[in-house]
Amino acid sequence: MKTIKDIAALAKVSIGTVDRVIHNRSGVSKKTKERIEKIIQEHGFQINKTARILALNKKYNIAVLMPTVESSSDFWYLPKKGIEKASEEFEMHRISVNYFHFDPLNLNSFKDVFDKLLENSFNAVLLAPIFLNEAKERLIYLDQRKIPYVFINAELEGANNISYIGQHSFDSGALAAKLMSLLINTEDDILIVKVRRDNVHHSTIEDRISGFKSYFNTRKTPIQIHEVILPKIKDQETINTLLHKKLTNHQIKGLFIPSSKVSVVANYVEEHKLKHLKLIGYDLNEENVHLIKNETIDFLIDQDAFFQGYEGTKTLFNFIINNVVPPKNRYLPIKLLTKENVKYL
Amino acid sequence: MKTIKDIAALAKVSIGTVDRVIHNRSGVSKKTKERIEKIIQEHGFQINKTARILALNKKYNIAVLMPTVESSSDFWYLPKKGIEKASEEFEMHRISVNYFHFDPLNLNSFKDVFDKLLENSFNAVLLAPIFLNEAKERLIYLDQRKIPYVFINAELEGANNISYIGQHSFDSGALAAKLMSLLINTEDDILIVKVRRDNVHHSTIEDRISGFKSYFNTRKTPIQIHEVILPKIKDQETINTLLHKKLTNHQIKGLFIPSSKVSVVANYVEEHKLKHLKLIGYDLNEENVHLIKNETIDFLIDQDAFFQGYEGTKTLFNFIINNVVPPKNRYLPIKLLTKENVKYL
């Protein structure tokens, strides 16, 4: 473990420059910043004990911007549990966590809640920037106020987040495609089912779809890929009508649902006894686990939801309290589950 | 957290009976033992502080019976790392770990090394009972001397081990079979390749094979399953001859290698450009990772090797020092890897 002086000497820069990098302040070239960060990561960084004790006596406010959690079967239930666990562990540092919840299927809700967050003052922000453009416009205000932020679940290229913690969505889509190519024949078609309210770019979902399509494109298979958008997940009748219409195409054998909403489709498939259809989806909520156990869903991809919240929160705490600079990308395992291994999590 | 008195009251037995169960001594009926263990697991157990301090001043010797580790690409490299990490964490308790290494392909080596272990005195034993019958014969002596032992990697039904930590081998074989059924057609044949020196029952391997065969049996597919034993993994010429002979059967399209030695077969497949063959094997040593990245191996199943050693050792320490009774079976995740997700571990 090195002091700030040692790091400055190793990087051949002034102590002020190292300090600027550690506190994520501007005025350091990208190249120098990267060199200093590399040294810190390699040698570790022993912070000044007195400064640390002062820091421990301060109070910190963290804002969390994430979708609403209504029940334990919601995807965001586990990340929230992770945030709570991390907060408890750091309680002695007097940290308070303030949640700003939005409807993940509703763009306006995301904008409104983010704007509300910006009206307040925080030491750090943990967020899922699932609507890319709208997030980008608002992150500028965090940058201006030098408030550090960490992304979980959804990635946003080129942003000044100190870290991203989540799955590599593109590669996880590619994996889904590989499995789909094993489940169906080359003369079959595939249907991608998106569940959402707004017709906007939802980053995680779109990245998964890009990865999925890219797998088939590079292999030049004759497989046709269709898409359908299910607009309101609570209106099962509309869902049934839309799915029924799409599935009159009897070439369709594989269904890829790039979200935890795979159960919406799986319930339709189960009800209509469409056993010849192969389903791949995401996440291990109770309903999905039931549907993979009875083999209505063939493969589920899990993304360590609890860990995203837990590690995201710890990363922010360690940055603002202990000056620990995290890796920019923290890609989590892409876990593959079937009926056979779902009981051993 | 309850005291021994509370547990006795809850279980409606004497304090002496609870004490006997905690220290794994005989004289308690199986039913009572299970009832007491259940109460301990549900309520936790607050041990006597004075007794604990005395215990902390004692010295403990742990014996580890496991295969030889020659290089970092050996499967047993990671479990050994895990044992070392757990030992370091518990060093203040003055624990010494003594290794007894055997050749995992050689039955006599297992017997000799186990016999040597039994000549010494230990407080607890961590072992991989990969040769079932030979292990059974020798575990009696540990039982007689009331020495607690934990199994890692290989399971042995009906033994008095305090815990097993490892994969459910049968189910992991069934998962391999499901994937194989997706990789090949119903008119194809499968070859199971075993690598070993002795013609004995090697429990983990055989359990994986049982699970694999069972998957196809219950589905009554017309797929034929062949087997071959590769006797000496260092003699590539014999391997090549045996594989070549087997692969003149042009029906064979899928190869299942139920061990980390999948690289031996994959290297042959790569060298002879047999790209039409599908390979499924186990474990993430360097060579296997290379072979899955270039898609010579289609699927690898990983079994949390580091965790087996780490958790196995911690379980024994906590049992002998803190009286913590572990769950009898601690089944680890069956992790599925392909070229697409192998980089996100």
Side-chain angles (χ1 to χ4, degrees), chain A residues 168 170-172 174 331-334, chain B residues 284 289 292-293 337-345:
Chain A
H168 193 290
F170 184 94
D171 282 354
S172 110
Y331 290 119
L332 303 184
I334 303 176
Chain B
L284 288 169
V289 168
I292 198 164
K293 280 189 175 164
L337 298 160
T338 70
K339 185 196 174 190
E340 285 73 19
N341 68 349
V342 74
K343 57 186 162 224
Y344 306 111
L345 289 174

mmCIF file with all atom_site columns, all heavy atoms in Angstrom, chain A residues 168 170-172 174 331-334, chain B residues 284 289 292-293 337-345:
data_model
loop_
_atom_site.group_PDB
_atom_site.id
_atom_site.type_symbol
_atom_site.label_atom_id
_atom_site.label_alt_id
_atom_site.label_comp_id
_atom_site.label_asym_id
_atom_site.label_entity_id
_atom_site.label_seq_id
_atom_site.pdbx_PDB_ins_code
_atom_site.Cartn_x
_atom_site.Cartn_y
_atom_site.Cartn_z
_atom_site.occupancy
_atom_site.B_iso_or_equiv
_atom_site.pdbx_formal_charge
_atom_site.auth_seq_id
_atom_site.auth_comp_id
_atom_site.auth_asym_id
_atom_site.auth_atom_id
_atom_site.pdbx_PDB_model_num
ATOM 1   N N   . HIS A 1 168 ? -22.348 -8.226  -19.477 1.00 0.00 ? 168 HIS A N   1
ATOM 2   C CA  . HIS A 1 168 ? -22.069 -7.734  -20.819 1.00 0.00 ? 168 HIS A CA  1
ATOM 3   C C   . HIS A 1 168 ? -23.279 -8.145  -21.670 1.00 0.00 ? 168 HIS A C   1
ATOM 4   O O   . HIS A 1 168 ? -23.375 -9.285  -22.123 1.00 0.00 ? 168 HIS A O   1
ATOM 5   C CB  . HIS A 1 168 ? -20.783 -8.347  -21.360 1.00 0.00 ? 168 HIS A CB  1
ATOM 6   C CG  . HIS A 1 168 ? -20.281 -7.667  -22.600 1.00 0.00 ? 168 HIS A CG  1
ATOM 7   N ND1 . HIS A 1 168 ? -20.933 -7.766  -23.802 1.00 0.00 ? 168 HIS A ND1 1
ATOM 8   C CD2 . HIS A 1 168 ? -19.229 -6.850  -22.818 1.00 0.00 ? 168 HIS A CD2 1
ATOM 9   C CE1 . HIS A 1 168 ? -20.279 -7.054  -24.710 1.00 0.00 ? 168 HIS A CE1 1
ATOM 10  N NE2 . HIS A 1 168 ? -19.238 -6.492  -24.131 1.00 0.00 ? 168 HIS A NE2 1
ATOM 11  N N   . PHE A 1 170 ? -24.479 -7.543  -24.682 1.00 0.00 ? 170 PHE A N   1
ATOM 12  C CA  . PHE A 1 170 ? -24.298 -8.004  -26.055 1.00 0.00 ? 170 PHE A CA  1
ATOM 13  C C   . PHE A 1 170 ? -23.864 -9.481  -26.065 1.00 0.00 ? 170 PHE A C   1
ATOM 14  O O   . PHE A 1 170 ? -24.461 -10.308 -26.758 1.00 0.00 ? 170 PHE A O   1
ATOM 15  C CB  . PHE A 1 170 ? -23.252 -7.126  -26.763 1.00 0.00 ? 170 PHE A CB  1
ATOM 16  C CG  . PHE A 1 170 ? -23.038 -7.447  -28.208 1.00 0.00 ? 170 PHE A CG  1
ATOM 17  C CD1 . PHE A 1 170 ? -23.732 -6.749  -29.201 1.00 0.00 ? 170 PHE A CD1 1
ATOM 18  C CD2 . PHE A 1 170 ? -22.132 -8.427  -28.602 1.00 0.00 ? 170 PHE A CD2 1
ATOM 19  C CE1 . PHE A 1 170 ? -23.528 -7.039  -30.544 1.00 0.00 ? 170 PHE A CE1 1
ATOM 20  C CE2 . PHE A 1 170 ? -21.938 -8.729  -29.948 1.00 0.00 ? 170 PHE A CE2 1
ATOM 21  C CZ  . PHE A 1 170 ? -22.630 -8.022  -30.918 1.00 0.00 ? 170 PHE A CZ  1
ATOM 22  N N   . ASP A 1 171 ? -22.845 -9.798  -25.259 1.00 0.00 ? 171 ASP A N   1
ATOM 23  C CA  . ASP A 1 171 ? -22.352 -11.182 -25.225 1.00 0.00 ? 171 ASP A CA  1
ATOM 24  C C   . ASP A 1 171 ? -23.383 -12.132 -24.636 1.00 0.00 ? 171 ASP A C   1
ATOM 25  O O   . ASP A 1 171 ? -23.436 -13.308 -25.027 1.00 0.00 ? 171 ASP A O   1
ATOM 26  C CB  . ASP A 1 171 ? -21.043 -11.258 -24.437 1.00 0.00 ? 171 ASP A CB  1
ATOM 27  C CG  . ASP A 1 171 ? -19.855 -10.770 -25.263 1.00 0.00 ? 171 ASP A CG  1
ATOM 28  O OD1 . ASP A 1 171 ? -20.050 -10.495 -26.463 1.00 0.00 ? 171 ASP A OD1 1
ATOM 29  O OD2 . ASP A 1 171 ? -18.741 -10.668 -24.718 1.00 0.00 ? 171 ASP A OD2 1
ATOM 30  N N   . SER A 1 172 ? -24.201 -11.642 -23.729 1.00 0.00 ? 172 SER A N   1
ATOM 31  C CA  . SER A 1 172 ? -25.211 -12.530 -23.166 1.00 0.00 ? 172 SER A CA  1
ATOM 32  C C   . SER A 1 172 ? -26.294 -12.820 -24.210 1.00 0.00 ? 172 SER A C   1
ATOM 33  O O   . SER A 1 172 ? -26.829 -13.935 -24.269 1.00 0.00 ? 172 SER A O   1
ATOM 34  C CB  . SER A 1 172 ? -25.753 -11.952 -21.857 1.00 0.00 ? 172 SER A CB  1
ATOM 35  O OG  . SER A 1 172 ? -27.068 -11.517 -21.960 1.00 0.00 ? 172 SER A OG  1
ATOM 36  N N   . ALA A 1 174 ? -25.570 -12.967 -27.425 1.00 0.00 ? 174 ALA A N   1
ATOM 37  C CA  . ALA A 1 174 ? -24.905 -13.904 -28.340 1.00 0.00 ? 174 ALA A CA  1
ATOM 38  C C   . ALA A 1 174 ? -24.985 -15.328 -27.810 1.00 0.00 ? 174 ALA A C   1
ATOM 39  O O   . ALA A 1 174 ? -25.195 -16.288 -28.561 1.00 0.00 ? 174 ALA A O   1
ATOM 40  C CB  . ALA A 1 174 ? -23.444 -13.497 -28.546 1.00 0.00 ? 174 ALA A CB  1
ATOM 41  N N   . TYR A 1 331 ? -17.737 -6.698  -15.275 1.00 0.00 ? 331 TYR A N   1
ATOM 42  C CA  . TYR A 1 331 ? -18.698 -7.588  -15.944 1.00 0.00 ? 331 TYR A CA  1
ATOM 43  C C   . TYR A 1 331 ? -18.941 -8.839  -15.114 1.00 0.00 ? 331 TYR A C   1
ATOM 44  O O   . TYR A 1 331 ? -18.001 -9.536  -14.749 1.00 0.00 ? 331 TYR A O   1
ATOM 45  C CB  . TYR A 1 331 ? -18.207 -7.952  -17.338 1.00 0.00 ? 331 TYR A CB  1
ATOM 46  C CG  . TYR A 1 331 ? -18.251 -6.784  -18.293 1.00 0.00 ? 331 TYR A CG  1
ATOM 47  C CD1 . TYR A 1 331 ? -17.091 -6.306  -18.904 1.00 0.00 ? 331 TYR A CD1 1
ATOM 48  C CD2 . TYR A 1 331 ? -19.454 -6.148  -18.571 1.00 0.00 ? 331 TYR A CD2 1
ATOM 49  C CE1 . TYR A 1 331 ? -17.136 -5.221  -19.772 1.00 0.00 ? 331 TYR A CE1 1
ATOM 50  C CE2 . TYR A 1 331 ? -19.510 -5.076  -19.431 1.00 0.00 ? 331 TYR A CE2 1
ATOM 51  C CZ  . TYR A 1 331 ? -18.348 -4.617  -20.030 1.00 0.00 ? 331 TYR A CZ  1
ATOM 52  O OH  . TYR A 1 331 ? -18.402 -3.548  -20.868 1.00 0.00 ? 331 TYR A OH  1
ATOM 53  N N   . LEU A 1 332 ? -20.189 -9.119  -14.856 1.00 0.00 ? 332 LEU A N   1
ATOM 54  C CA  . LEU A 1 332 ? -20.554 -10.258 -14.017 1.00 0.00 ? 332 LEU A CA  1
ATOM 55  C C   . LEU A 1 332 ? -20.732 -11.525 -14.865 1.00 0.00 ? 332 LEU A C   1
ATOM 56  O O   . LEU A 1 332 ? -20.924 -11.450 -16.070 1.00 0.00 ? 332 LEU A O   1
ATOM 57  C CB  . LEU A 1 332 ? -21.848 -9.942  -13.264 1.00 0.00 ? 332 LEU A CB  1
ATOM 58  C CG  . LEU A 1 332 ? -21.804 -8.677  -12.399 1.00 0.00 ? 332 LEU A CG  1
ATOM 59  C CD1 . LEU A 1 332 ? -23.103 -8.514  -11.633 1.00 0.00 ? 332 LEU A CD1 1
ATOM 60  C CD2 . LEU A 1 332 ? -20.624 -8.719  -11.440 1.00 0.00 ? 332 LEU A CD2 1
ATOM 61  N N   . PRO A 1 333 ? -20.671 -12.685 -14.198 1.00 0.00 ? 333 PRO A N   1
ATOM 62  C CA  . PRO A 1 333 ? -20.838 -13.940 -14.937 1.00 0.00 ? 333 PRO A CA  1
ATOM 63  C C   . PRO A 1 333 ? -22.172 -14.010 -15.693 1.00 0.00 ? 333 PRO A C   1
ATOM 64  O O   . PRO A 1 333 ? -23.184 -13.486 -15.220 1.00 0.00 ? 333 PRO A O   1
ATOM 65  C CB  . PRO A 1 333 ? -20.810 -15.002 -13.843 1.00 0.00 ? 333 PRO A CB  1
ATOM 66  C CG  . PRO A 1 333 ? -20.069 -14.384 -12.719 1.00 0.00 ? 333 PRO A CG  1
ATOM 67  C CD  . PRO A 1 333 ? -20.399 -12.916 -12.775 1.00 0.00 ? 333 PRO A CD  1
ATOM 68  N N   . ILE A 1 334 ? -22.146 -14.619 -16.862 1.00 0.00 ? 334 ILE A N   1
ATOM 69  C CA  . ILE A 1 334 ? -23.375 -14.886 -17.611 1.00 0.00 ? 334 ILE A CA  1
ATOM 70  C C   . ILE A 1 334 ? -23.776 -16.314 -17.254 1.00 0.00 ? 334 ILE A C   1
ATOM 71  O O   . ILE A 1 334 ? -23.224 -17.275 -17.773 1.00 0.00 ? 334 ILE A O   1
ATOM 72  C CB  . ILE A 1 334 ? -23.144 -14.729 -19.132 1.00 0.00 ? 334 ILE A CB  1
ATOM 73  C CG1 . ILE A 1 334 ? -22.603 -13.318 -19.428 1.00 0.00 ? 334 ILE A CG1 1
ATOM 74  C CG2 . ILE A 1 334 ? -24.440 -14.989 -19.906 1.00 0.00 ? 334 ILE A CG2 1
ATOM 75  C CD1 . ILE A 1 334 ? -22.254 -13.081 -20.894 1.00 0.00 ? 334 ILE A CD1 1
ATOM 76  N N   . LEU B 1 284 ? -12.143 -25.857 -15.670 1.00 0.00 ? 284 LEU B N   1
ATOM 77  C CA  . LEU B 1 284 ? -11.606 -24.686 -16.362 1.00 0.00 ? 284 LEU B CA  1
ATOM 78  C C   . LEU B 1 284 ? -10.107 -24.517 -16.202 1.00 0.00 ? 284 LEU B C   1
ATOM 79  O O   . LEU B 1 284 ? -9.649  -23.437 -15.863 1.00 0.00 ? 284 LEU B O   1
ATOM 80  C CB  . LEU B 1 284 ? -12.308 -23.438 -15.812 1.00 0.00 ? 284 LEU B CB  1
ATOM 81  C CG  . LEU B 1 284 ? -13.759 -23.293 -16.245 1.00 0.00 ? 284 LEU B CG  1
ATOM 82  C CD1 . LEU B 1 284 ? -14.440 -22.206 -15.444 1.00 0.00 ? 284 LEU B CD1 1
ATOM 83  C CD2 . LEU B 1 284 ? -13.806 -22.974 -17.732 1.00 0.00 ? 284 LEU B CD2 1
ATOM 84  N N   . VAL B 1 289 ? -9.709  -23.964 -21.221 1.00 0.00 ? 289 VAL B N   1
ATOM 85  C CA  . VAL B 1 289 ? -10.224 -22.637 -21.561 1.00 0.00 ? 289 VAL B CA  1
ATOM 86  C C   . VAL B 1 289 ? -9.791  -22.269 -22.981 1.00 0.00 ? 289 VAL B C   1
ATOM 87  O O   . VAL B 1 289 ? -10.591 -21.757 -23.775 1.00 0.00 ? 289 VAL B O   1
ATOM 88  C CB  . VAL B 1 289 ? -9.751  -21.574 -20.529 1.00 0.00 ? 289 VAL B CB  1
ATOM 89  C CG1 . VAL B 1 289 ? -10.034 -20.161 -21.024 1.00 0.00 ? 289 VAL B CG1 1
ATOM 90  C CG2 . VAL B 1 289 ? -10.442 -21.810 -19.188 1.00 0.00 ? 289 VAL B CG2 1
ATOM 91  N N   . ILE B 1 292 ? -11.993 -24.223 -25.406 1.00 0.00 ? 292 ILE B N   1
ATOM 92  C CA  . ILE B 1 292 ? -13.387 -23.791 -25.533 1.00 0.00 ? 292 ILE B CA  1
ATOM 93  C C   . ILE B 1 292 ? -13.432 -22.462 -26.276 1.00 0.00 ? 292 ILE B C   1
ATOM 94  O O   . ILE B 1 292 ? -14.369 -22.190 -27.026 1.00 0.00 ? 292 ILE B O   1
ATOM 95  C CB  . ILE B 1 292 ? -14.114 -23.734 -24.160 1.00 0.00 ? 292 ILE B CB  1
ATOM 96  C CG1 . ILE B 1 292 ? -15.630 -23.735 -24.388 1.00 0.00 ? 292 ILE B CG1 1
ATOM 97  C CG2 . ILE B 1 292 ? -13.714 -22.530 -23.318 1.00 0.00 ? 292 ILE B CG2 1
ATOM 98  C CD1 . ILE B 1 292 ? -16.458 -24.067 -23.176 1.00 0.00 ? 292 ILE B CD1 1
ATOM 99  N N   . LYS B 1 293 ? -12.405 -21.660 -26.114 1.00 0.00 ? 293 LYS B N   1
ATOM 100 C CA  . LYS B 1 293 ? -12.369 -20.376 -26.817 1.00 0.00 ? 293 LYS B CA  1
ATOM 101 C C   . LYS B 1 293 ? -12.272 -20.569 -28.332 1.00 0.00 ? 293 LYS B C   1
ATOM 102 O O   . LYS B 1 293 ? -12.835 -19.785 -29.094 1.00 0.00 ? 293 LYS B O   1
ATOM 103 C CB  . LYS B 1 293 ? -11.204 -19.515 -26.306 1.00 0.00 ? 293 LYS B CB  1
ATOM 104 C CG  . LYS B 1 293 ? -11.529 -18.819 -24.998 1.00 0.00 ? 293 LYS B CG  1
ATOM 105 C CD  . LYS B 1 293 ? -10.478 -17.799 -24.598 1.00 0.00 ? 293 LYS B CD  1
ATOM 106 C CE  . LYS B 1 293 ? -10.937 -17.072 -23.337 1.00 0.00 ? 293 LYS B CE  1
ATOM 107 N NZ  . LYS B 1 293 ? -9.823  -16.346 -22.673 1.00 0.00 ? 293 LYS B NZ  1
ATOM 108 N N   . LEU B 1 337 ? -20.393 -23.415 -19.306 1.00 0.00 ? 337 LEU B N   1
ATOM 109 C CA  . LEU B 1 337 ? -19.604 -22.427 -20.042 1.00 0.00 ? 337 LEU B CA  1
ATOM 110 C C   . LEU B 1 337 ? -19.462 -22.766 -21.514 1.00 0.00 ? 337 LEU B C   1
ATOM 111 O O   . LEU B 1 337 ? -19.358 -23.940 -21.902 1.00 0.00 ? 337 LEU B O   1
ATOM 112 C CB  . LEU B 1 337 ? -18.229 -22.301 -19.390 1.00 0.00 ? 337 LEU B CB  1
ATOM 113 C CG  . LEU B 1 337 ? -18.346 -21.800 -17.943 1.00 0.00 ? 337 LEU B CG  1
ATOM 114 C CD1 . LEU B 1 337 ? -17.110 -22.115 -17.160 1.00 0.00 ? 337 LEU B CD1 1
ATOM 115 C CD2 . LEU B 1 337 ? -18.663 -20.319 -17.912 1.00 0.00 ? 337 LEU B CD2 1
ATOM 116 N N   . THR B 1 338 ? -19.486 -21.723 -22.335 1.00 0.00 ? 338 THR B N   1
ATOM 117 C CA  . THR B 1 338 ? -19.265 -21.830 -23.767 1.00 0.00 ? 338 THR B CA  1
ATOM 118 C C   . THR B 1 338 ? -18.238 -20.766 -24.136 1.00 0.00 ? 338 THR B C   1
ATOM 119 O O   . THR B 1 338 ? -17.813 -19.983 -23.290 1.00 0.00 ? 338 THR B O   1
ATOM 120 C CB  . THR B 1 338 ? -20.547 -21.520 -24.556 1.00 0.00 ? 338 THR B CB  1
ATOM 121 O OG1 . THR B 1 338 ? -20.815 -20.115 -24.415 1.00 0.00 ? 338 THR B OG1 1
ATOM 122 C CG2 . THR B 1 338 ? -21.731 -22.302 -24.047 1.00 0.00 ? 338 THR B CG2 1
ATOM 123 N N   . LYS B 1 339 ? -17.903 -20.728 -25.414 1.00 0.00 ? 339 LYS B N   1
ATOM 124 C CA  . LYS B 1 339 ? -17.009 -19.673 -25.899 1.00 0.00 ? 339 LYS B CA  1
ATOM 125 C C   . LYS B 1 339 ? -17.552 -18.286 -25.498 1.00 0.00 ? 339 LYS B C   1
ATOM 126 O O   . LYS B 1 339 ? -16.784 -17.375 -25.189 1.00 0.00 ? 339 LYS B O   1
ATOM 127 C CB  . LYS B 1 339 ? -16.949 -19.766 -27.431 1.00 0.00 ? 339 LYS B CB  1
ATOM 128 C CG  . LYS B 1 339 ? -15.972 -18.820 -28.062 1.00 0.00 ? 339 LYS B CG  1
ATOM 129 C CD  . LYS B 1 339 ? -16.243 -18.678 -29.563 1.00 0.00 ? 339 LYS B CD  1
ATOM 130 C CE  . LYS B 1 339 ? -15.358 -17.624 -30.176 1.00 0.00 ? 339 LYS B CE  1
ATOM 131 N NZ  . LYS B 1 339 ? -15.742 -17.297 -31.552 1.00 0.00 ? 339 LYS B NZ  1
ATOM 132 N N   . GLU B 1 340 ? -18.876 -18.133 -25.497 1.00 0.00 ? 340 GLU B N   1
ATOM 133 C CA  . GLU B 1 340 ? -19.480 -16.813 -25.304 1.00 0.00 ? 340 GLU B CA  1
ATOM 134 C C   . GLU B 1 340 ? -19.396 -16.287 -23.873 1.00 0.00 ? 340 GLU B C   1
ATOM 135 O O   . GLU B 1 340 ? -19.303 -15.079 -23.675 1.00 0.00 ? 340 GLU B O   1
ATOM 136 C CB  . GLU B 1 340 ? -20.958 -16.831 -25.742 1.00 0.00 ? 340 GLU B CB  1
ATOM 137 C CG  . GLU B 1 340 ? -21.186 -16.846 -27.245 1.00 0.00 ? 340 GLU B CG  1
ATOM 138 C CD  . GLU B 1 340 ? -20.859 -18.175 -27.913 1.00 0.00 ? 340 GLU B CD  1
ATOM 139 O OE1 . GLU B 1 340 ? -20.787 -19.213 -27.201 1.00 0.00 ? 340 GLU B OE1 1
ATOM 140 O OE2 . GLU B 1 340 ? -20.640 -18.201 -29.134 1.00 0.00 ? 340 GLU B OE2 1
ATOM 141 N N   . ASN B 1 341 ? -19.456 -17.167 -22.883 1.00 0.00 ? 341 ASN B N   1
ATOM 142 C CA  . ASN B 1 341 ? -19.469 -16.643 -21.511 1.00 0.00 ? 341 ASN B CA  1
ATOM 143 C C   . ASN B 1 341 ? -18.241 -17.017 -20.695 1.00 0.00 ? 341 ASN B C   1
ATOM 144 O O   . ASN B 1 341 ? -18.148 -16.650 -19.524 1.00 0.00 ? 341 ASN B O   1
ATOM 145 C CB  . ASN B 1 341 ? -20.765 -17.050 -20.782 1.00 0.00 ? 341 ASN B CB  1
ATOM 146 C CG  . ASN B 1 341 ? -20.856 -18.528 -20.507 1.00 0.00 ? 341 ASN B CG  1
ATOM 147 O OD1 . ASN B 1 341 ? -20.054 -19.310 -21.028 1.00 0.00 ? 341 ASN B OD1 1
ATOM 148 N ND2 . ASN B 1 341 ? -21.827 -18.925 -19.718 1.00 0.00 ? 341 ASN B ND2 1
ATOM 149 N N   . VAL B 1 342 ? -17.276 -17.710 -21.314 1.00 0.00 ? 342 VAL B N   1
ATOM 150 C CA  . VAL B 1 342 ? -16.118 -18.188 -20.542 1.00 0.00 ? 342 VAL B CA  1
ATOM 151 C C   . VAL B 1 342 ? -15.242 -17.028 -20.045 1.00 0.00 ? 342 VAL B C   1
ATOM 152 O O   . VAL B 1 342 ? -14.535 -17.163 -19.047 1.00 0.00 ? 342 VAL B O   1
ATOM 153 C CB  . VAL B 1 342 ? -15.293 -19.234 -21.342 1.00 0.00 ? 342 VAL B CB  1
ATOM 154 C CG1 . VAL B 1 342 ? -14.484 -18.592 -22.457 1.00 0.00 ? 342 VAL B CG1 1
ATOM 155 C CG2 . VAL B 1 342 ? -14.388 -20.027 -20.419 1.00 0.00 ? 342 VAL B CG2 1
ATOM 156 N N   . LYS B 1 343 ? -15.317 -15.895 -20.720 1.00 0.00 ? 343 LYS B N   1
ATOM 157 C CA  . LYS B 1 343 ? -14.480 -14.773 -20.247 1.00 0.00 ? 343 LYS B CA  1
ATOM 158 C C   . LYS B 1 343 ? -15.086 -14.034 -19.048 1.00 0.00 ? 343 LYS B C   1
ATOM 159 O O   . LYS B 1 343 ? -14.413 -13.221 -18.434 1.00 0.00 ? 343 LYS B O   1
ATOM 160 C CB  . LYS B 1 343 ? -14.154 -13.801 -21.388 1.00 0.00 ? 343 LYS B CB  1
ATOM 161 C CG  . LYS B 1 343 ? -15.322 -13.213 -22.091 1.00 0.00 ? 343 LYS B CG  1
ATOM 162 C CD  . LYS B 1 343 ? -14.865 -12.361 -23.317 1.00 0.00 ? 343 LYS B CD  1
ATOM 163 C CE  . LYS B 1 343 ? -16.026 -12.164 -24.239 1.00 0.00 ? 343 LYS B CE  1
ATOM 164 N NZ  . LYS B 1 343 ? -15.830 -12.323 -25.639 1.00 0.00 ? 343 LYS B NZ  1
ATOM 165 N N   . TYR B 1 344 ? -16.330 -14.321 -18.730 1.00 0.00 ? 344 TYR B N   1
ATOM 166 C CA  . TYR B 1 344 ? -16.969 -13.649 -17.581 1.00 0.00 ? 344 TYR B CA  1
ATOM 167 C C   . TYR B 1 344 ? -17.164 -14.626 -16.434 1.00 0.00 ? 344 TYR B C   1
ATOM 168 O O   . TYR B 1 344 ? -18.271 -15.122 -16.221 1.00 0.00 ? 344 TYR B O   1
ATOM 169 C CB  . TYR B 1 344 ? -18.310 -13.047 -17.984 1.00 0.00 ? 344 TYR B CB  1
ATOM 170 C CG  . TYR B 1 344 ? -18.214 -12.135 -19.181 1.00 0.00 ? 344 TYR B CG  1
ATOM 171 C CD1 . TYR B 1 344 ? -18.786 -12.497 -20.403 1.00 0.00 ? 344 TYR B CD1 1
ATOM 172 C CD2 . TYR B 1 344 ? -17.527 -10.930 -19.110 1.00 0.00 ? 344 TYR B CD2 1
ATOM 173 C CE1 . TYR B 1 344 ? -18.687 -11.666 -21.511 1.00 0.00 ? 344 TYR B CE1 1
ATOM 174 C CE2 . TYR B 1 344 ? -17.421 -10.100 -20.214 1.00 0.00 ? 344 TYR B CE2 1
ATOM 175 C CZ  . TYR B 1 344 ? -18.003 -10.477 -21.404 1.00 0.00 ? 344 TYR B CZ  1
ATOM 176 O OH  . TYR B 1 344 ? -17.898 -9.658  -22.495 1.00 0.00 ? 344 TYR B OH  1
ATOM 177 N N   . LEU B 1 345 ? -16.078 -14.928 -15.725 1.00 0.00 ? 345 LEU B N   1
ATOM 178 C CA  . LEU B 1 345 ? -16.192 -15.937 -14.671 1.00 0.00 ? 345 LEU B CA  1
ATOM 179 C C   . LEU B 1 345 ? -16.408 -15.311 -13.298 1.00 0.00 ? 345 LEU B C   1
ATOM 180 O O   . LEU B 1 345 ? -16.069 -14.199 -13.063 1.00 0.00 ? 345 LEU B O   1
ATOM 181 C CB  . LEU B 1 345 ? -14.936 -16.795 -14.672 1.00 0.00 ? 345 LEU B CB  1
ATOM 182 C CG  . LEU B 1 345 ? -14.833 -17.712 -15.880 1.00 0.00 ? 345 LEU B CG  1
ATOM 183 C CD1 . LEU B 1 345 ? -13.517 -18.414 -15.891 1.00 0.00 ? 345 LEU B CD1 1
ATOM 184 C CD2 . LEU B 1 345 ? -15.978 -18.722 -15.882 1.00 0.00 ? 345 LEU B CD2 1
#
